[in-house]
Amino acid sequence: MLKFIKHHMDTISGIEIYPIISLSIFFIFFALLLVWVFTYSKDKIKELSDIPLQED
């Protein structure tokens, strides 16, 4: 089964770019998420964490 799939993947021209693109998207997404997490305001995190405790 794998040989059948591999043969078809080898015959498609330009297919070697797709793993590079998917890895790049994956890396960029998680790098941006990491930057967002570390730059998020501590006061805003405290405010959001207190929401379940409020009795409004």
Side-chain angles (χ1 to χ4, degrees), residues 21-55:
I21 291 171
S22 63
L23 181 65
S24 299
I25 291 171
F26 179 81
F27 179 76
I28 290 169
F29 173 77
F30 282 105
L32 290 174
L33 190 65
L34 189 67
V35 168
W36 178 72
V37 165
F38 283 115
T39 60
Y40 205 68
S41 169
K42 302 290 184 198
D43 295 331
K44 186 67 175 175
I45 293 172
K46 179 68 176 154
E47 177 186 334
L48 292 174
S49 67
D50 288 338
I51 290 174
L53 303 175
Q54 296 174 355
E55 294 186 18

Side-chain angles (χ1 to χ4, degrees), residues 1-11:
M1 182 70 178
L2 184 60
K3 189 180 276 190
F4 177 73
I5 294 171
K6 186 177 178 186
H7 173 69
H8 283 290
M9 293 296 184
D10 287 340
T11 60

